[in-house]
Amino acid sequence: MAYDTKSKNPAVTALLNGTAPEQVKTAAARGILPLPQDDLLEVLVTLAEGADVELARIASGTIAAQASAAIESLVRSETVSPRVLSHLLGRAALPGPLYEAVVANQSTPAESIVEFARTTNAGSVLESIALNQQLLIQNPPLIEALLSNPHRTSEAERRVLETRREFFEKERGAAQIASELRAQGKEAAAEFIENSEFASSLADSDLTAEEAMLIASHIESLDKETDDSWLGLEYIEEIYEETAAQRKAAFEKILGEMTSEDGAFSTERVAMLNLVMKMGIKDRIKLAMKGDREARNILIRDPNRLVCTAVANNPRITEQEIEAIALMRTVTEDILRQIATNRQWQRSYAIMHNLVKNPRTPIANSMTIMAKMQVRDLAALSKNRNVPEAVRRHALRLANARTGNR
């Protein structure tokens, strides 16, 4: 990092350029040259950062021996060199007020303040920096540096988060987020953000820009890969009609189902569920149609039938997922009927078998499927007390007919 010297003193210039005699350099390193305090400090810093190990050791010790009150007074002035200010921020175990004075000086290089905020263990100084809202606004990397420092105080964290939310997140709209996603090669995620309802007005949304980015990271299908022709006008009310109480009930339903199925439900999945359920039905439908396996696993349990149907119409959904859905007793009959009549899924014996074993599968669909089932599975089905009586009787008739029993 290069700095311009502030001093016009020829002796100082010679020392800074390295052209001064060795005995003069040594005297300067010991702090015994008759120089103004600001010039001497600039020379000491130059020597302390120089290639001459012995001079650097002496100069560094001389700086450490300086009275902190005198240096503090100096670093508050407009004449102090940026190099001096940067050097002082890089030194460990200086008094807090001295650090604060260096940070407050407008001549201190921004990158030096950012590095200091990232590495120092002086929590009180970090708090002081966090209170300087103007400094944070002018230097956005400083915000992330403060938040990454484990020595930050809770007050410092609160102040920094408030500034980031007020001056950066609210201004970071859908266009900027989409641009960032495209720069990362995530075209499908960018499309989702651009067309979502929540991202178009993040300032008024329950979701932050970071949360919007997190949701977008679960998008894997482009618009051209999805087919929404099934979503007719007759569903328009179901797309927009949802109360806060209904959304809360949906969250609790999904959470309850996933917890009972998976046992210990991870905090990451709860957090993801919480983000998903902050979105309206229209956006959840889009996520269901374009989202990854994690998104599909959550939204197949959504009590809104359109959201579940969108999951089944996701172009990336796998046969293994459909096989699991076919057994789920919490999905709507519409979904089970859709699977039963889908030509692609009809070719999977495991999927069809699971549908027949599901008591929620419409009986008409079960009857059709049983005509192609193996005898051993029909026999087992005839004894399955979890399926409707009509299904058991029909399974028994078919099994007897194929084995010649009456």
Side-chain angles (χ1 to χ4, degrees):
M1 191 181 299
Y3 302 94
D4 293 329
T5 178
K6 287 274 189 176
S7 177
K8 303 303 180 183
N9 188 319
V12 173
T13 302
L15 284 163
L16 298 181
N17 291 339
T19 58
E22 287 302 315
Q23 60 268 32
V24 175
K25 292 180 184 178
T26 302
R30 292 173 176 167
I32 58 177
L33 281 185
L35 294 173
Q37 182 66 24
D38 54 347
D39 286 351
L40 178 60
L41 190 55
E42 187 172 2
V43 169
L44 286 170
V45 166
T46 301
L47 294 175
E49 296 178 350
D52 189 314
V53 177
E54 182 60 19
L55 282 178
R57 182 188 66 78
I58 297 171
S60 183
T62 302
I63 294 172
Q66 298 287 308
S68 60
I71 297 181
E72 183 181 336
S73 175
L74 177 63
V75 299
R76 291 185 185 278
S77 73
E78 297 180 357
T79 60
V80 66
S81 167
R83 185 171 193 172
V84 169
L85 296 169
S86 181
H87 178 85
L88 292 175
L89 279 186
R91 294 183 71 91
L94 293 181
L98 181 53
Y99 282 134
E100 292 174 11
V102 174
V103 170
N105 193 312
Q106 294 185 356
S107 297
T108 303
E111 57 267 34
S112 297
I113 299 177
V114 171
E115 182 61 23
F116 172 79
R118 183 180 292 111
T119 58
T120 185
N121 61 2
S124 61
V125 183
L126 292 174
E127 191 168 308
S128 175
I129 296 174
L131 291 171
N132 191 335
Q133 193 175 72
Q134 183 177 0
L135 182 63
L136 296 179
I137 296 170
Q138 292 173 344
N139 301 281
L142 183 56
I143 292 176
E144 301 310 318
L146 285 164
L147 292 176
S148 69
N149 192 320
H151 299 287
R152 67 186 183 277
T153 65
S154 58
E155 178 64 13
E157 181 175 358
R158 184 182 71 81
R159 290 280 189 168
V160 171
L161 289 174
E162 284 181 356
T163 300
R164 184 173 69 176
R165 186 162 49 247
E166 182 66 25
F167 291 93
F168 295 98
E169 290 181 350
K170 288 187 177 181
E171 297 176 359
R172 194 177 175 203
Q176 182 180 347
I177 295 175
S179 177
E180 292 175 15
L181 289 168
R182 281 199 173 89
Q184 299 170 20
K186 300 175 181 177
E187 180 64 26
E191 283 183 347
F192 175 79
I193 287 294
E194 287 175 332
N195 297 323
S196 66
E197 291 188 327
F198 71 83
S200 61
S201 55
L202 281 174
D204 301 318
S205 171
D206 290 336
L207 292 162
T208 66
E210 280 67 29
E211 290 172 337
M213 290 281 279
L214 179 58
I215 290 174
S217 70
H218 289 273
I219 299 296
E220 59 182 15
S221 297
L222 292 162
D223 286 345
K224 63 183 180 182
E225 297 175 328
T226 59
D227 178 14
D228 60 359
S229 59
W230 58 272
L231 193 58
L233 292 176
E234 66 270 22
Y235 299 128
I236 195 69
E237 286 190 6
E238 292 186 57
I239 294 177
Y240 289 101
E241 293 290 332
E242 184 181 50
T243 65
Q246 288 173 325
R247 190 175 298 183
K248 180 181 179 182
F251 173 88
E252 293 174 350
K253 171 187 178 293
I254 297 172
L255 179 62
E257 289 176 12
M258 297 187 78
T259 303
S260 62
E261 291 173 9
D262 299 341
F265 196 39
S266 69
T267 55
E268 291 79 9
R269 298 192 77 183
V270 173
M272 177 59 183
L273 171 59
N274 187 50
L275 292 184
V276 169
M277 297 311 296
K278 284 183 179 181
M279 298 189 296
I281 293 176
K282 188 174 180 180
D283 284 338
R284 297 209 302 276
I285 290 173
K286 291 178 182 177
L287 179 61
M289 291 185 66
K290 303 181 68 175
D292 62 8
R293 187 170 190 140
E294 177 71 6
R296 295 192 294 267
N297 190 38
I298 290 174
L299 292 173
I300 191 61
R301 296 168 169 81
D302 195 300
N304 186 285
R305 63 173 180 148
L306 298 184
V307 177
C308 298
T309 303
V311 172
N313 281 279
N314 187 306
R316 302 292 182 92
I317 198 165
T318 65
E319 185 173 315
Q320 290 73 27
E321 288 176 83
I322 293 295
E323 190 176 325
I325 293 170
L327 267 182
M328 292 173 61
R329 300 186 184 185
T330 55
V331 297
T332 65
E333 290 186 7
D334 289 341
I335 297 300
L336 298 174
R337 185 181 296 109
Q338 180 181 350
I339 295 173
T341 56
N342 183 290
R343 290 185 179 181
Q344 178 183 353
W345 306 132
Q346 284 176 346
R347 292 195 288 267
S348 169
Y349 187 85
I351 291 175
M352 294 298 108
H353 190 197
N354 283 354
L355 281 175
V356 176
K357 291 190 293 183
N358 192 328
R360 290 182 63 87
T361 300
I363 291 180
N365 296 115
S366 294
M367 297 296 186
T368 301
I369 294 170
M370 280 190 286
K372 299 179 181 179
M373 285 181 61
Q374 298 174 7
V375 173
R376 69 173 183 273
D377 292 326
L378 288 170
L381 191 62
S382 68
K383 301 174 184 178
N384 188 337
R385 295 294 178 180
N386 292 320
V387 300
E389 177 65 23
V391 172
R392 291 202 303 274
R393 287 200 305 267
H394 190 60
L396 181 60
R397 282 195 297 268
L398 288 174
N400 288 338
R402 296 197 193 160
T403 57
N405 296 327
R406 293 201 180 264

